[in-house]
């Protein structure tokens, strides 16, 4: 089968549309995201449902970015429409603007068209790209991860290839929780100002843990990742993960987006309950960071593990601290 036809058919098989009219809350979402009136939203929704090629995201791609996009107010259909708008805008601009040339973001797209595998992409276009695998109802899917500069090169290259001049992969910007663990201090650590002198290296034999690339490493989860099924889907493992009841000090829980938990610095005595999980592979940690998005950052913490027998064990680990304080809901901290 022609690769382009196979690519289109993959998307066309995933467009089962509901027969009922959109609910009021759905129309409100379209107004919030795009400023559409109810009548305008209905026209756009009907066109989207009727367009067999209108679904721009596979299940794998949506699962990878869902949490972050829903936190921004989108659902799958409104985000697909946003991608269509961005795609239209990008085709009307001359390539190579300063914003595009300085784009340090990472993007992911489904391998297809002229790019049947990651090596084919590298040979054809001459860009650096990483192979990644995703998950969804259709099983494993192969993706390519590129930076902003490589994305522009790929788009320009496709525009010069007559068999694929109309082929445009859907680039999804990846929002990843930053992880920058210092070798010379305890920065960043939950609940303390780790930039102060007393938290810096005091001797050549001193080290700080966990290290930047340390694997395996313990993580403390306090939100939706406490659910074994959610965690299993996130890191794409065949069996349910083993979670250990755990707690940390030095942080408090707030909310953002009226439904997402946000761990922030708190008093040294502040206590948060959750679960500990030992991340065994670096790619699993990458999946976790992508899921949490750049709204969070990876920080060090001391995790107290609680066994069924009542035995406690303290380990040095990591957790996700909320990084956008101005987006916190106006409510009282919860310990």
């Amino acid at each position: 089968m022609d690769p382009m036809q196979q690519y289109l058919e993959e998307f066309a098989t995933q467009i089962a549309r509901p027969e009922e009219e959109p609910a009021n809350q759905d129309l409100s979402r379209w107004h919030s995201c795009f400023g559409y009136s109810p009548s305008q939203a209905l026209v756009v929704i009907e066109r989207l449902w009727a367009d067999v090629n209108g679904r721009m995201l596979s299940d794998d791609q949506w699962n990878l970015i869902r949490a972050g996009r829903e936190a921004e107010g989108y659902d799958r259909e409104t985000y697909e429409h946003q991608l269509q708008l961005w795609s239209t805008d990008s085709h009307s601009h001359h390539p190579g603007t300063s914003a595009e040339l300085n784009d340090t973001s990472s993007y992911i797209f489904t391998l297809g068209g002229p790019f049947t595998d990651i090596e084919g992409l590298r040979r054809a276009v001459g860009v650096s790209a990483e192979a990644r695998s995703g998950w969804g109802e259709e099983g494993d899917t192969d993706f390519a991860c590129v930076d902003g500069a490589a994305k522009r090169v790929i788009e320009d290259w496709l525009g010069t290839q007559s068999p694929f001049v109309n082929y445009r992969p859907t680039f999804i910007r990846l929002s990843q929780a930053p992880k920058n663990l210092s070798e010379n201090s305890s920065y960043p650590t939950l609940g303390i100002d780790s930039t102060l002198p007393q938290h810096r290296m005091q001797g050549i034999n001193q080290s700080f843990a966990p290290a930047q690339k340390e694997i395996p490493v313990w993580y403390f989860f306090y939100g939706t990742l406490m659910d074994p099924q959610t965690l299993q889907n996130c890191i794409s493992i065949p069996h349910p993960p083993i979670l250990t009841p755990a707690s940390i000090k030095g942080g408090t829980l707030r909310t953002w987006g009226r439904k997402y938990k946000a761990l922030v610095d708190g008093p040294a005595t502040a206590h948060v309950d959750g679960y500990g999980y030992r991340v065994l592979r670096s790619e699993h940690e990458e999946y976790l960071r992508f899921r949490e998005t750049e709204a969070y950052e990876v920080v060090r913490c001391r995790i107290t593990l609680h066994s069924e027998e009542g035995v406690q064990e303290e380990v040095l680990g990591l957790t996700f601290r909320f990084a956008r304080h101005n987006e916190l809901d106006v409510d009282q901290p919860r310990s």
Side-chain angles (χ1 to χ4, degrees):
M1 180 183 293
D2 177 79
M4 183 61 178
Q5 183 64 30
Q6 183 178 358
Y7 180 87
L8 292 174
E9 288 187 4
E10 176 189 354
F11 283 88
T13 58
Q14 302 176 38
I15 56 167
R17 305 293 187 184
E19 297 180 357
E20 65 271 13
E21 289 293 315
N24 288 335
Q25 61 266 31
D26 294 328
L27 298 179
S28 297
R29 186 192 306 275
W30 285 85
H31 176 75
S32 175
C33 291
F34 307 105
Y36 295 161
S37 66
S39 59
Q40 290 174 322
L42 285 171
V43 170
V44 174
I45 293 171
E46 288 173 359
R47 288 176 179 172
L48 184 64
W49 290 357
D51 183 3
V52 295
N53 293 324
R55 173 141 285 177
M56 301 186 71
L57 297 174
S58 67
D59 289 343
D60 301 334
Q61 291 172 316
W62 176 242
N63 286 338
L64 190 64
I65 64 172
R66 179 174 182 172
R69 301 296 84 82
E70 287 183 344
E72 295 171 353
Y74 295 102
D75 61 5
R76 181 169 177 167
E77 288 183 337
T78 51
Y79 191 64
E80 286 177 328
H81 181 62
Q82 181 67 79
L83 289 173
Q84 291 174 334
L85 296 179
W86 284 336
S87 177
T88 301
D89 288 344
S90 67
H91 292 164
S92 66
H93 294 156
H94 189 278
T97 64
S98 59
E100 291 166 334
L101 294 175
N102 295 320
D103 186 359
T104 59
S105 301
S106 294
Y107 296 85
I108 197 168
F109 68 96
T110 304
L111 288 169
F115 311 127
T116 56
D117 56 42
I118 199 71
E119 288 303 322
L121 170 64
R122 291 168 179 161
R123 288 194 301 268
V125 190
V127 298
S128 175
E130 295 181 15
R132 298 189 184 277
S133 296
W135 56 91
E137 295 178 359
E138 303 300 317
D140 290 342
T141 299
D142 292 327
F143 299 105
C145 184
V146 298
D147 61 21
K151 169 181 175 290
R152 174 51 60 187
V153 171
I154 292 169
E155 291 173 332
D156 290 347
W157 183 88
L158 287 170
T160 66
Q161 307 299 308
S162 55
F164 302 102
V165 69
N166 293 320
Y167 168 69
R168 287 294 182 272
T170 300
F171 289 94
I172 308 299
R173 179 178 176 272
L174 291 178
S175 176
Q176 185 180 41
K179 179 188 179 186
N180 300 296
L181 308 182
S182 173
E183 296 180 352
N184 303 315
S185 74
S186 59
Y187 177 87
T189 298
L190 181 70
I192 67 172
D193 183 356
S194 47
T195 63
L196 295 176
Q198 61 265 36
H199 301 300
R200 299 174 188 166
M201 183 179 291
Q202 303 299 315
I204 60 174
N205 294 324
Q206 185 179 8
S207 61
F208 298 91
Q212 176 72 11
K213 296 183 179 181
E214 184 174 328
I215 288 291
V217 62
W218 280 95
Y219 265 81
F220 174 79
F221 299 141
Y222 54 87
T224 54
L225 288 173
M226 293 192 299
D227 174 58
Q229 186 63 58
T230 299
L231 179 57
Q232 180 181 357
N233 291 341
C234 175
I235 61 178
S236 192
I237 56 177
H239 305 293
I242 299 176
L243 291 164
T244 303
S247 61
I248 57 173
K249 291 184 177 180
T252 59
L253 288 183
R254 299 280 297 276
T255 61
W256 71 293
R258 293 298 170 189
K259 60 178 179 179
Y260 296 102
K261 290 184 178 181
L263 179 67
V264 298
D265 289 338
T269 56
H271 175 97
V272 177
D273 291 318
Y275 284 89
Y277 177 71
R278 195 166 183 248
V279 177
L280 301 178
R281 300 176 62 177
S282 57
E283 56 264 40
H284 294 170
E285 184 183 43
E286 288 255 309
Y287 291 148
L288 290 168
R289 291 171 59 201
F290 281 131
R291 187 185 191 280
E292 293 304 291
T293 78
E294 60 195 13
Y296 295 83
E297 60 181 337
V298 177
V299 298
R300 292 171 169 135
C301 64
R302 291 182 178 271
I303 305 172
T304 302
L305 304 173
H306 306 273
S307 71
E308 294 181 356
E309 295 77 20
V311 178
Q312 296 185 358
E313 177 188 1
E314 188 175 87
V315 297
L316 300 177
L318 303 170
T319 191
F320 292 100
R321 180 173 65 188
F322 192 66
R324 298 175 176 174
H325 286 209
N326 61 325
E327 297 182 18
L328 289 167
D329 295 331
V330 181
D331 56 8
Q332 294 297 316
R334 299 192 313 247
S335 59

